[in-house]
Amino acid sequence: MSKKGCCNSVGECFFDYYTSKILVIRSRKVGTLNRFTQALVIAYVVGYVCVLKKGYQDTDTVLSSVTTKVKGIALTNTTELGERIWDVADYIIPPQVVRRFDEEEVQARRFKCPLTSLVPPPSWVMKMIWLHLHAHTLYCVNSLLFTQGLSVQTGRCVNYNDTVKTCEVLSWCPLEKIVEPPNPPLLADAENFTVLIKNNIRYPKFNFNKRNILPNINSSYLTQCVFSRKTDPDCPIFRLKDIVEEAEEDFQTMAVHGGVMGVQIRWDCDLDMPQSWCVPRYTFRRLDNKDPENNVAPGYNFRFAKYYKDSDGTETRTLIKGYGIRFDVLVFGQAGKFNIIPTLLNIGAGLALLGLVNVICDWIVLTIMTRKHHYKEQKYTYVDDFGLVSI
Amino acid sequence: MSKKGCCNSVGECFFDYYTSKILVIRSRKVGTLNRFTQALVIAYVVGYVCVLKKGYQDTDTVLSSVTTKVKGIALTNTTELGERIWDVADYIIPPQVVRRFDEEEVQARRFKCPLTSLVPPPSWVMKMIWLHLHAHTLYCVNSLLFTQGLSVQTGRCVNYNDTVKTCEVLSWCPLEKIVEPPNPPLLADAENFTVLIKNNIRYPKFNFNKRNILPNINSSYLTQCVFSRKTDPDCPIFRLKDIVEEAEEDFQTMAVHGGVMGVQIRWDCDLDMPQSWCVPRYTFRRLDNKDPENNVAPGYNFRFAKYYKDSDGTETRTLIKGYGIRFDVLVFGQAGKFNIIPTLLNIGAGLALLGLVNVICDWIVLTIMTRKHHYKEQKYTYVDDFGLVSI
Amino acid sequence: MSKKGCCNSVGECFFDYYTSKILVIRSRKVGTLNRFTQALVIAYVVGYVCVLKKGYQDTDTVLSSVTTKVKGIALTNTTELGERIWDVADYIIPPQVVRRFDEEEVQARRFKCPLTSLVPPPSWVMKMIWLHLHAHTLYCVNSLLFTQGLSVQTGRCVNYNDTVKTCEVLSWCPLEKIVEPPNPPLLADAENFTVLIKNNIRYPKFNFNKRNILPNINSSYLTQCVFSRKTDPDCPIFRLKDIVEEAEEDFQTMAVHGGVMGVQIRWDCDLDMPQSWCVPRYTFRRLDNKDPENNVAPGYNFRFAKYYKDSDGTETRTLIKGYGIRFDVLVFGQAGKFNIIPTLLNIGAGLALLGLVNVICDWIVLTIMTRKHHYKEQKYTYVDDFGLVSI
């Protein structure tokens, strides 16, 4: 061993430059194959990962706040209610647009009354119960009914009419009538109601805020525009009918039993581009299950009550069962911005794959090609614990 | 330099194939070590990253919409209220299930009345205030009380009764009585109420929608099923009592002061598998802090009022303080689907690690093994600026 | 070919150790450059990726549940309403704090009445309509008005007063007066209201739960603290005025037309650290667009109604238009915890980049340096299909 041969001191070796010895094979076949596969890998990394999938970007998901404002008024004229006006304060129960009402007559609390009907009411839990009831008409099992949202039974049986006996129940009286929702719906005009959706989003990671009312929109336009995919894609005011139709539903049909519509606002933003390119995209789809096969309480309805106190102090209420179309505003999206880490992650992975190319080519050269032995000799030097292995 | 030796033209060289010259060491020791470590790395990449952690998948987070429907009716019989029926319209104030009420007598606005009680009311801000008040009974400091949600003082002192003087306040009269929530709770039966949860999810990136009412469920089953982890894991109808018990709470205890329950729906889906494998998992936990140590306004309660107008036009209200159990439905989850980018990212990283294996083995061969000099000779060729270095 | 030279059996070769032959160049220039670039890469991987960006962590986004409780009472004294008290039950309509009311006189449904005013009302859709109306005063086009939330016209023209004729409309009577919101706002005192925000978060992937009421806070502190960035950064009780001021808005100005405030709670947690380091950070910003340029329905207001029944059974309502400041609580954040996959991903990428360093140095050595030919000779061996290429 000469002094020069190895390192006498670390310092001496530290600045040595180690590079692997290379065998250059002058063969078009291999060469072409090699360049070709390399080209593929590079094309993939540059073209697909970087350009198409924006692999050089760090991403963040959207943070959103929504306010809505409904406009519209409807006139109804029914035998029970007579001519009647519905304005926002009447039909908006946040967060849904109630679309028709079956208004019961005023009820008084704490009266005792006979069950008014023996036909099974429509709602989902009752079905079972009532059938059961038939089997036990005379016992009027308490425990069962108690938990099932119908009414509390006193356990006594009273005359419903001259022929039928029924259970006495403790409830708001008279009992809610079991009626199919009328068709056409009461507030059929609601299809022309408009809703203004104000949406403010934020990408916390990039400290980026934006509104769905774009800067290039002025008030005078907003006062009269209505969203339309073709003509007014940026207008944040939607006609209910349009929303439902875009989801390929029929408004009047849907109105009968109600339903839930999803207003999806997608914010996909490339923050390396001008901010003005980052605009919301609106899509609509129906969220509830309309086919009654595997469904309970189809459509969307709910009960609420207005309470009054009579002059004699008796508390009464007006029970309202509203069949509504609820509009859920779902905001989602992803923003991307250049970031060094994902970039180098992808480049690194690309380089590693380039290494793989060599492995493949080596394998071909040394196993497939006719002159493989010839190449092996040059590429490999064999050594074992006892010295050089003669070739 | 011969023409052949180097490239006279780029084209000539472009298809040369460069492969590094290899020294093959015929040593079981190193060989075994080498293969073993390689095996480890490969096992990790294939087994752990790809199979277990699904490193080949791109992921997306869930987008969700929830509707709920509560069923249940309760009968209460208290001295103040007498026999009384509570149905959905009475006890649902979205989004919570109100579980008991302390109903005040009707209050009239704009009357002047003496403070009815000198004991500190239970609510959190008042505590401090009242103590303060005692110190200043005769001054009845306005500014302080003004901002603290008790009532506005006129600044005058009036007789509360023959013995005690107190501050005159401007408020709805009479003042709300300070009472501990009765135990057992008013609507004890509510534990048998059932809630139907309809959940519609979407993975925007994969354009995948699903409902928690699975296709294989039919209506007749839904009309009677109640969720049970063992027997009915897919039923979307939950008995309140079960929810609370699964969170290891006692319903009746929790009902007294109210609380917030979290109904967690987890959607972890592998979209490379059949869609039918993507099902919701329900778990329940308590969200509010029950231990009173570092807590304010323990439990969950809120006030609301019903407003009446008397025949003489005076506006009165019935103030209701409800102690409720609020049910928050929290939907979360992640969907994964095969995607080429993460796949190659992980493979690339794996290959790079394989390279690391060689470095380690080299180090062992050339520094630890007895015949290291012997190997070095073969592996290294030394050259400096003045030509080959003699070995 | 000697038996030893190549593999007669797989087993024989399997434990051979393949290591590339290395050319060591004793040149300070290249060596230094080489080490330097290597140092750079390592510094980046270790320092930036691992330490700064925590590239070794797997991340999860927050899952959150919020409950709020507002405290405060206000005294108002206006000509229409007289001296009046507003407490929580009066001014809270979830989820917003209503800050001032224009209370209309009681309205009776189903009356016919003349349009009371010819000035355009302030609300956004009406503007257009009324102008239109002027053009058609005598026709009183039905269809147009019908859909625009003003009122339904009978189509007849009646005397508004001795001089002006106007359209008869079917609506709650009298019509809502068109008034600018009074300034200063009615509930000016609301700036001293306080809101308690209870926030419970969860990182599902790490099964980590926490509350914004930190363990080290005790009840007695909570009863009296108010959030302040300097003195009480952990107190979950906020004075409305502070919230608005932190967003650089003026409360009294904002109160006139109302608005939407965002209370942002950021949970950035490093779960490799003690849990006590994982604390919420509160920030505030205004979510609605205050400049009226490209805005409709500036501020935040809404209508709701209280319904009464007169002794004669006529239904009447009190329409209330509330101008409110709505507080949206936006919870976001990211938790990181050590995970082997991202770690190795980054290390792998780093190694691949180290490989890149060699490529660069090789290029320099073999093309720039004066003695490049000298090095080439040693590094490269040329071979073509017909044998060794003489150098």
Side-chain angles (χ1 to χ4, degrees), chain C residues 19-202:
Chain C
T19 177
S20 55
K21 294 178 96 171
I22 299 296
L23 177 72
V24 186
I25 297 179
R26 288 262 161 109
S27 154
R28 290 271 150 153
K29 288 206 210 76
V30 201
T32 320
L33 176 74
N34 179 36
R35 295 299 179 199
F36 178 68
T37 34
Q38 281 178 341
L40 280 186
V41 174
I42 291 166
Y44 157 77
V45 173
V46 174
Y48 184 73
V49 177
C50 294
V51 177
L52 274 186
K53 294 294 179 182
K54 301 215 171 65
Y56 56 85
Q57 288 188 330
D58 187 15
T59 61
D60 190 13
T61 50
V62 72
L63 195 69
S64 154
S65 153
V66 175
T67 61
T68 61
K69 190 157 196 169
V70 176
K71 288 278 167 188
I73 189 164
L75 167 70
T76 65
N77 194 342
T78 59
T79 48
E80 314 95 35
L81 307 180
E83 211 171 38
R84 190 164 188 150
I85 281 294
W86 302 89
D87 64 15
V88 179
D90 296 325
Y91 60 68
I92 289 287
I93 294 91
Q96 59 261 335
V97 180
V98 177
R99 304 240 16 286
R100 33 177 307 281
F101 296 98
D102 305 333
E103 186 135 358
E104 304 286 321
E105 60 269 43
V106 171
Q107 299 175 308
R109 198 201 288 266
R110 278 199 293 301
F111 283 6
K112 292 203 173 64
C113 48
L115 285 172
T116 49
S117 121
L118 288 177
V119 299
S123 110
W124 54 282
V125 171
M126 297 188 182
K127 273 208 195 61
M128 173 189 57
I129 291 318
W130 278 85
L131 299 171
H132 198 118
L133 186 63
H134 280 293
H136 301 70
T137 312
L138 297 186
Y139 309 103
C140 299
V141 181
N142 239 348
S143 59
L144 245 173
L145 285 176
F146 197 98
T147 64
Q148 298 303 350
L150 170 63
S151 55
V152 179
Q153 299 199 326
T154 61
R156 290 175 41 222
C157 291
V158 293
N159 289 330
Y160 171 54
N161 54 28
D162 309 351
T163 59
V164 184
K165 281 186 87 64
T166 168
C167 308
E168 185 187 58
V169 292
L170 198 61
S171 161
W172 290 86
C173 298
L175 288 185
E176 181 181 354
K177 280 197 300 299
I178 309 308
V179 288
E180 263 304 289
N183 192 349
L186 195 60
L187 295 191
D189 314 316
E191 68 182 14
N192 290 320
F193 290 179
T194 58
V195 55
L196 161 66
I197 297 181
K198 286 181 177 182
N199 179 210
N200 177 302
I201 63 133
R202 173 177 178 80

Side-chain angles (χ1 to χ4, degrees), chain B residues 14-179:
Chain B
F14 185 71
F15 286 112
D16 289 354
Y17 172 56
Y18 294 75
T19 178
S20 57
K21 295 180 94 171
I22 299 297
L23 177 71
V24 185
I25 296 177
R26 287 264 161 107
S27 153
R28 290 270 149 155
K29 289 206 211 74
V30 202
T32 321
L33 176 74
N34 178 36
R35 295 298 180 202
F36 178 69
T37 34
Q38 282 177 341
L40 280 186
V41 173
I42 291 165
Y44 157 78
V45 172
V46 174
Y48 184 74
V49 177
C50 294
V51 177
L52 275 185
K53 294 295 179 182
K54 301 216 173 63
Y56 56 84
Q57 289 188 330
D58 187 16
T59 61
D60 190 14
T61 50
V62 73
L63 195 69
S64 154
S65 152
V66 174
T67 60
T68 62
K69 190 156 194 168
V70 177
K71 287 279 164 187
I73 188 163
L75 167 70
T76 65
N77 193 342
T78 59
T79 48
E80 315 95 35
L81 307 179
E83 212 171 37
R84 190 165 188 146
I85 281 294
W86 301 90
D87 64 15
V88 179
D90 296 324
Y91 61 67
I92 290 286
I93 293 88
Q96 59 260 335
V97 180
V98 177
R99 302 238 22 285
R100 30 177 307 283
F101 296 98
D102 305 332
E103 186 135 357
E104 303 286 323
E105 61 267 42
V106 171
Q107 298 176 309
R109 198 202 287 263
R110 277 199 294 298
F111 283 5
K112 289 204 174 62
C113 49
L115 284 172
T116 49
S117 123
L118 289 175
V119 300
S123 108
W124 53 282
V125 171
M126 297 188 182
K127 276 206 192 63
M128 172 189 57
I129 291 318
W130 277 85
L131 299 172
H132 199 117
L133 186 63
H134 280 294
H136 303 69
T137 312
L138 297 187
Y139 309 104
C140 300
V141 181
N142 240 348
S143 59
L144 245 172
L145 286 176
F146 197 97
T147 63
Q148 298 302 350
L150 170 62
S151 54
V152 179
Q153 300 199 323
T154 60
R156 289 174 41 223
C157 290
V158 293
N159 289 329
Y160 171 54
N161 55 27
D162 308 351
T163 59
V164 184
K165 282 186 88 62
T166 167
C167 308
E168 185 186 58
V169 292
L170 199 59
S171 162
W172 291 86
C173 299
L175 286 185
E176 181 181 354
K177 280 197 300 299
I178 308 308
V179 288

Side-chain angles (χ1 to χ4, degrees), chain B residues 15 44 51 125 155 240-241 325 375 380-381:
Chain B
F15 286 112
Y44 157 78
V51 177
V125 171
L240 301 196
K241 188 180 183 181
I325 296 185
Y375 295 135
Y380 294 122
T381 320

Side-chain angles (χ1 to χ4, degrees), chain B residues 76-374:
Chain B
T76 65
N77 193 342
T78 59
T79 48
E80 315 95 35
L81 307 179
E83 212 171 37
R84 190 165 188 146
I85 281 294
W86 301 90
D87 64 15
V88 179
D90 296 324
Y91 61 67
I92 290 286
I93 293 88
Q96 59 260 335
V97 180
V98 177
R99 302 238 22 285
R100 30 177 307 283
F101 296 98
D102 305 332
E103 186 135 357
E104 303 286 323
E105 61 267 42
V106 171
Q107 298 176 309
R109 198 202 287 263
R110 277 199 294 298
F111 283 5
K112 289 204 174 62
C113 49
L115 284 172
T116 49
S117 123
L118 289 175
V119 300
S123 108
W124 53 282
V125 171
M126 297 188 182
K127 276 206 192 63
M128 172 189 57
I129 291 318
W130 277 85
L131 299 172
H132 199 117
L133 186 63
H134 280 294
H136 303 69
T137 312
L138 297 187
Y139 309 104
C140 300
V141 181
N142 240 348
S143 59
L144 245 172
L145 286 176
F146 197 97
T147 63
Q148 298 302 350
L150 170 62
S151 54
V152 179
Q153 300 199 323
T154 60
R156 289 174 41 223
C157 290
V158 293
N159 289 329
Y160 171 54
N161 55 27
D162 308 351
T163 59
V164 184
K165 282 186 88 62
T166 167
C167 308
E168 185 186 58
V169 292
L170 199 59
S171 162
W172 291 86
C173 299
L175 286 185
E176 181 181 354
K177 280 197 300 299
I178 308 308
V179 288
E180 262 304 289
N183 190 351
L186 195 59
L187 295 191
D189 313 315
E191 68 182 14
N192 290 320
F193 289 0
T194 58
V195 56
L196 162 66
I197 297 180
K198 286 180 175 182
N199 179 210
N200 178 302
I201 62 131
R202 172 177 179 80
Y203 285 108
K205 200 186 279 179
F206 309 127
N207 191 25
F208 174 84
N209 302 326
K210 192 153 187 181
R211 292 187 180 75
N212 69 332
I213 299 181
L214 305 174
N216 56 3
I217 297 183
N218 60 15
S219 308
S220 61
Y221 171 71
L222 282 177
T223 52
Q224 43 189 312
C225 74
V226 169
F227 175 83
S228 146
R229 198 161 294 290
K230 293 171 198 55
T231 61
D232 301 87
D234 293 338
C235 178
I237 300 166
F238 303 87
R239 177 176 285 110
L240 301 196
K241 188 180 183 181
D242 302 341
I243 292 179
V244 177
E245 274 173 357
E246 282 234 2
E248 281 150 356
E249 301 285 336
D250 173 51
F251 192 84
Q252 295 304 331
T253 321
M254 190 173 178
V256 176
H257 286 94
V260 184
M261 288 297 309
V263 178
Q264 301 171 355
I265 308 184
R266 174 191 282 271
W267 288 89
D268 282 343
C269 298
D270 182 347
L271 299 184
D272 299 325
M273 297 296 163
Q275 292 197 6
S276 58
W277 294 18
C278 169
V279 293
R281 300 259 164 264
Y282 304 95
T283 52
F284 313 96
R285 70 188 176 91
R286 183 166 185 173
L287 295 178
D288 66 321
N289 189 358
K290 66 179 168 182
D291 84 75
E293 265 331 296
N294 64 337
N295 199 5
V296 290
Y300 183 77
N301 62 69
F302 63 98
R303 289 172 179 72
F304 65 99
K306 299 185 204 157
Y307 295 84
Y308 309 101
K309 195 149 271 176
D310 288 353
S311 44
D312 64 352
T314 331
E315 188 182 21
T316 63
R317 74 173 189 184
T318 300
L319 179 67
I320 297 176
K321 182 179 185 183
Y323 290 77
I325 296 185
R326 196 177 83 173
F327 292 89
D328 286 359
V329 181
L330 306 172
V331 182
F332 59 99
Q334 210 174 38
K337 196 169 194 173
F338 172 79
N339 184 295
I340 190 67
I341 292 181
T343 313
L344 290 181
L345 264 183
N346 283 297
I347 292 178
L351 291 171
L353 293 175
L354 276 180
L356 198 54
V357 173
N358 261 35
V359 176
I360 297 165
C361 292
D362 278 354
W363 180 78
I364 290 166
V365 174
L366 301 171
T367 56
I368 293 179
M369 290 184 71
T370 48
R371 302 183 55 75
K372 52 178 183 275
H373 296 302
H374 173 65

